[in-house]
Amino acid sequence: MRHTLPIAPQFYVTAPQPCPYLENRMERKLFTSLQGDGAEQLNNSLSHQGFRRSQNVLYRPSCSDCSACMSARIDVSAFEMKRSQRRILKRNDYLVRRATSPWATEDQYALFRRYLDGRHSEGGMADMDVFEYAAMIEETPVRSRVVEYTEPQFSGLVAVSLTDVLEDGLSMVYSFYDPDQPKNSIGTYMILDHIEIARESGLPYVYLGYWVPGSPKMSYKEKFTGLEIFHQGAWKKMQDPAEFSESSHPLSTDPIAEQVANIHLPEPPVHRRR
C-alpha cells in the first residue's frame, strides 16, 4: 500500500529592522523552518526560488519598501576567468583545501572573531559567542560541508566556508577569512575554488547569497562572468547591473500573501508500506 506524507511549511515574516545595505530602509524576511524527512527537498526547491539557509531556517528578503536584495548564482558552464582572477589564484596557490563534516572548532572560531572584528565589527553577527558559532555550523538538517583553507607550512587556518550541497550546485552559506591579507583577495579565491569544485562534481551552479544593485559591499559579485540574478520570479543573466536598479523602487515589491502564493513547493515524499 502506498501513501504520502504532505509537506506543508508555514511561512512567517520577521519584524522590520534597519537595512544593512540601503540607508533609510527597513528590512524584513519571509521565512520557514527546515526540518523532517523533506528538508533536503525543501532546501533544494526554495534555494531555486531565491531563499537562503541559516541553520534550520530558510529565508528570503521580503521588504515593504523595495525588492533590491536578490539571490545570485554563477552558471559554471558560462564562467570565464578574467586575468585578474588568474592572478588571485596564483597568489593563493599555497593554500590547501580540506572539506569536512559540519563541525565547529576552536581554530575556526578564532578566525571567525578576527574576521568579524576586522571587517564587520558593527554587523548583526558581531556579538556571536562560541556557542552561537557552533550552532551556525553544526545545526544543519541538509547535506553540508565545512571547506577549510590552510597554510601548510605553519598549519594555519586562513579561510573557511560553510557550504551546502544542493541537487544543482554548491551554496556558500557563510564564509570568512584572514582579514590581515587584503592583497590576496581570499574571498574571491574561495569563490573561484568553489567554481572548480562544482565543475569537478558536475554541478552547474555556485550560489553566492544576495546581491544588491548599487551596494559597494556586494559589487564584487558583479565581477564574475556567468552571474545570474533571481529577479521577478526567474533567474536572469546579468548583462548590466543597471538593469536591476528598479528593484529598489518602493512599488517594486509584491504583497506578502502574493509572494507566498507564488512559492512552488516540492512534491511530497512517497512512502511505501510493506
Side-chain angles (χ1 to χ4, degrees), residues 9-178:
Q10 299 295 310
F11 290 89
Y12 307 91
V13 180
T14 62
Q17 296 181 343
C19 178
Y21 305 114
L22 297 173
E23 294 184 1
N24 303 318
R25 296 291 178 91
M26 300 298 290
E27 176 191 57
R28 66 182 184 184
K29 293 182 175 70
L30 179 68
F31 70 96
T32 187
S33 62
L34 184 64
Q35 58 190 356
D37 293 340
E40 289 277 1
Q41 286 179 289
L42 188 62
N43 190 37
N44 282 314
S45 179
L46 295 192
S47 292
H48 298 163
Q49 299 172 68
F51 280 76
R52 297 285 292 169
R53 185 182 72 82
S54 176
Q55 296 172 235
N56 60 352
V57 169
L58 287 170
Y59 69 93
R60 187 173 73 185
S62 178
C63 305
S64 58
D65 293 338
C66 71
S67 56
C69 294
M70 295 171 279
S71 189
R73 70 184 186 185
I74 295 171
D75 180 350
V76 173
S77 65
F79 173 73
E80 296 181 0
M81 196 174 302
K82 299 177 181 178
R83 183 178 302 176
S84 60
Q85 293 168 338
R86 293 187 187 278
R87 290 196 294 267
I88 291 172
L89 282 180
K90 187 175 182 179
R91 282 200 297 268
N92 293 282
D93 62 3
Y94 67 95
L95 295 179
V96 175
R97 177 215 304 157
R98 184 172 74 103
T100 69
S101 299
W103 188 255
T105 67
E106 292 182 2
D107 287 345
Q108 290 173 15
Y109 181 69
L111 179 62
F112 175 71
R113 285 280 10 135
R114 287 175 55 207
Y115 172 76
L116 290 182
D117 293 343
R119 293 296 185 94
H120 303 286
S121 60
E122 297 181 357
M125 303 174 72
D127 296 329
M128 283 182 65
D129 60 27
V130 65
F131 302 105
E132 293 169 321
Y133 171 78
M136 179 180 74
I137 296 294
E138 298 174 7
E139 291 183 7
T140 170
V142 298
R143 186 183 176 194
S144 303
R145 295 290 183 269
V146 170
V147 185
E148 296 183 338
Y149 298 88
T150 58
E151 185 177 11
Q153 183 177 357
F154 303 104
S155 299
L157 189 61
V158 175
V160 175
S161 175
L162 174 61
T163 302
D164 286 353
V165 183
L166 305 176
E167 62 183 3
D168 71 340
L170 302 175
S171 176
M172 299 180 72
V173 177
Y174 190 78
S175 58
F176 53 94
Y177 49 86
D178 185 352

Side-chain angles (χ1 to χ4, degrees), residues 251-262:
L251 299 181
S252 63
T253 184
D254 295 325
I256 290 292
E258 187 174 337
Q259 292 182 40
V260 173
N262 290 331

